[in-house]
Amino acid sequence: MNLKLGFIGLGIMGKPMAHNLLRNGYEVTVYDVNEQTIVQLTECGATAAPSPKAVANVSDVIITMLPNQEIVKTVLLGESGVIHGARRDAIVVDMSSISPVVSKEIAELLNEQGMHMLDAPVSGGEPKAIDGTLSIMVGGNEDIFNRVESVLACMGKDITLVGGNGCGSTAKLANQIIVNVNIAAMSEALVLAAKSGIDIDKMYKAIRGGLAGSAVLDAKVPMILERNFQAGGRIDINLKDLTNVMETANAFEVPLPLTSQVLDIFQVLVGEGKQANDHCGIVQYYENLADVTVEKK
Amino acid sequence: MNLKLGFIGLGIMGKPMAHNLLRNGYEVTVYDVNEQTIVQLTECGATAAPSPKAVANVSDVIITMLPNQEIVKTVLLGESGVIHGARRDAIVVDMSSISPVVSKEIAELLNEQGMHMLDAPVSGGEPKAIDGTLSIMVGGNEDIFNRVESVLACMGKDITLVGGNGCGSTAKLANQIIVNVNIAAMSEALVLAAKSGIDIDKMYKAIRGGLAGSAVLDAKVPMILERNFQAGGRIDINLKDLTNVMETANAFEVPLPLTSQVLDIFQVLVGEGKQANDHCGIVQYYENLADVTVEKK
């Protein structure tokens, strides 16, 4: 049986992801608050529906890719939400990045109505959404995962079931802690080194092959040296993710002093109007404090 | 002309490094405060000298590999120090990890006496010292660097001249900031994830290929899951390095809040008697706070 798909949330990430499903021959019914992106997708073969509920009415699998957990709740549980239209045994795959606590709550409510839920947030950003090579971290039941794995494979490359409901969201939060604190670590190192007058590019090449080496270093040092802060991973999106991290950490009573400090740095940068910059703009916070610029010699 | 070498400081790192020089056919005169290691090296063909000054008397290149900058100063500038025995045009290669401010000061004093100095700290630890595959970050004059590059090549693989005197030490400090803050970032992520009940090994495999991937993650997650805290990079050595970082940062008026916090964590761990553990023992600080253990499922 070929699964009928619904896709709700056609933003920077959702649009190319839905495209990749259409390209692989799936029937996709779409909904978004932005009418214009709906038109773009219907021109590529998607069917438009007037509400999340209407999407659910005609779909075996409903995928959501939304900016924050409030919107996820409204779309899934609200008045014209998925929960009121979905058939028994329908599968909701929420690919948004939200708190694992909220992912679990939603899963329970959907289960009570005879539906299934997977939390399946992604990493890799817009380029990998377009290429269909996202990393997808999935939480939920293994049988349910097996039923949609070939759908996920149209959008991602590394697809890992990491545990039960909420575990996909937890893995994404862990990912965001590491990425953003690693960027801050790199920023402290670069700013100290720049202040001492060293050629940053030579230093980068001297240390990148050792224990200091990381994907962050290789992706972001060249951007910083070019003074290119075009996202990539936007500061406001990462601020939202770290806010979810701290909420979750508070719920679990886990103190995360470094993450909390990076969250503060993001708030300062947003206050300076830099919310749309790439998160490697963390270095600019340190540059301001130290009165130095990390640039090419 | 085959350079005559001196080697001072035959500890965990220095002993295998001196061995690699002997193995490559160099004449090496050695000194250490520990008589026993001197005997081990003379049995392998080294010549013993009674003081740093006496080493310098017979050497074209004097290599030092010492635990901290106080000892480096004593060995190079003290009463029976290298400076009182070295010939004109002799080259001192200090491979210890010390403050770049101190490296520069020493270089100036040696230059005044007609000697040359390179700061050439390493990364990679004991295993790479034994294999002769250390990363070596060098600061100093390019001509002087060219004269000793073949000597350094017996001990290391990636050998990079990163700038003038002090720049090798700066690169090492930058390296240590990144490594240790990356370990703390990973620890915050692992402890939050463990508390939520996720299978850490699966999560690690789901995120390691993305932007969260790093040499630290690949080296330390398996160690932590095995509860293996055997150094590797000792906590007390890394505490010393971060102390040098903060001294240098204060001299340059660069605030490093995350590094400073990791230094505090090291001090707590040393207070608990864990100074000889690997620096991935940072995770134990967080485990204590969160009352959870990061282990295999």
Side-chain angles (χ1 to χ4, degrees), chain A residues 161 167 170 174-175 178-179 181-182 184-185 188-189 195-196 198 202 207 210-216 252 256-259 261, chain B residues 161 167 170 174-175 178-179 181-182 184-185 188-189 195-196 198 202 207 210-216 252 256-259 261:
Chain A
L161 182 67
C167 285
T170 299
N175 187 79
I178 293 173
V179 167
V181 180
N182 281 7
E188 295 200 353
K195 194 87 179 191
S196 84
I198 202 172
K202 280 188 188 163
I207 66 174
L211 197 52
S214 69
V216 157
F252 287 135
L256 302 180
L258 302 194
T259 304
Q261 206 136 16
Chain B
L161 182 68
C167 285
T170 300
N175 187 80
I178 294 174
V179 167
V181 179
N182 281 7
E188 294 200 355
K195 194 88 180 193
S196 84
I198 203 172
K202 281 188 187 163
I207 67 174
L211 198 51
S214 69
V216 157
F252 287 134
L256 303 180
L258 302 194
T259 304
Q261 207 137 14

Side-chain angles (χ1 to χ4, degrees), chain B residues 11 16 67 117 150 160 166 222 270 285:
Chain B
M117 160 94 171
S150 55
T160 315
V270 169
Y285 169 85

